[in-house]
Amino acid sequence: LGFLGVIIMANSVGTVSGIIQSLSTLVSRDLAQVIKKDISDKKSVKIARASVILISIISLLIGTGDLGLMVFLALFTYDGIIMFFPIVIMGLYWKRANKEGAIISLLAGTGLSMLLRFYNPSFIDGLGWQPGVYGMILSFVIIIIAGYTRKPSSFVDQLWNDMEKAQPNLRKTA
């Protein structure tokens, strides 16, 4: 049982440290360098280290909060993350998916799921679905409508043609 606990903790720490490192890199490279363009690498490393400490303190404060708050935050993040599912699936498997549809579907689906999360209409509890599912359905609808309102670009056509040409060769090697 102790060994199992060590394995679980090691996996958790590995995941959390990766997330914190990526967030600190995002802060130092994408945020700080957008605000001030001439930041040196040394200064960028200092910003990343400071953001690791800040993110850790914020996480600690949230982690010591009420259990109900923790559940709410978990469900809230689920509502946002699930909006990427239609974009990824349609982008990978449907030629007509486009960036305009992806952006609009992400914004509209996230907006609907957040609206439903905060106002909690009666049908949410009655059907048993999380608000993110309603937002995801809206995202699928929007990305499909957007796909049929615009013709795929020549770049997308060429990309899909290249993939179709490469597929028989991939089957032979597999």
Side-chain angles (χ1 to χ4, degrees), residues 11-109:
N11 283 323
S12 298
V13 168
T15 303
V16 170
S17 69
I19 291 170
I20 290 175
Q21 284 178 330
S22 65
L23 284 173
S24 68
T25 302
L26 183 121
V27 168
S28 69
R29 293 284 183 190
D30 296 340
L31 188 63
Q33 288 185 346
V34 167
I35 294 170
K36 187 176 179 187
K37 301 241 185 263
D38 60 339
I39 293 178
S40 66
D41 286 340
K42 190 174 183 179
K43 180 78 171 175
S44 180
V45 169
K46 287 181 181 181
I47 292 170
R49 288 179 180 162
S51 63
V52 164
I53 294 169
L54 184 65
I55 292 167
S56 299
I57 291 170
I58 291 170
S59 300
L60 178 68
L61 293 174
I62 291 172
T64 58
D66 181 42
L67 184 60
L69 174 66
M70 301 292 274
V71 171
F72 175 79
L73 289 175
L75 292 173
F76 188 74
T77 56
Y78 159 80
D79 289 342
I81 290 173
I82 196 172
M83 293 310 124
F84 289 103
F85 180 71
I87 296 168
V88 171
I89 292 299
M90 299 303 274
L92 287 175
Y93 296 107
W94 193 43
K95 182 179 181 178
R96 297 191 69 95
N98 55 50
K99 67 180 176 184
E100 292 84 5
I103 292 168
I104 294 168
S105 70
L106 179 66
L107 294 174

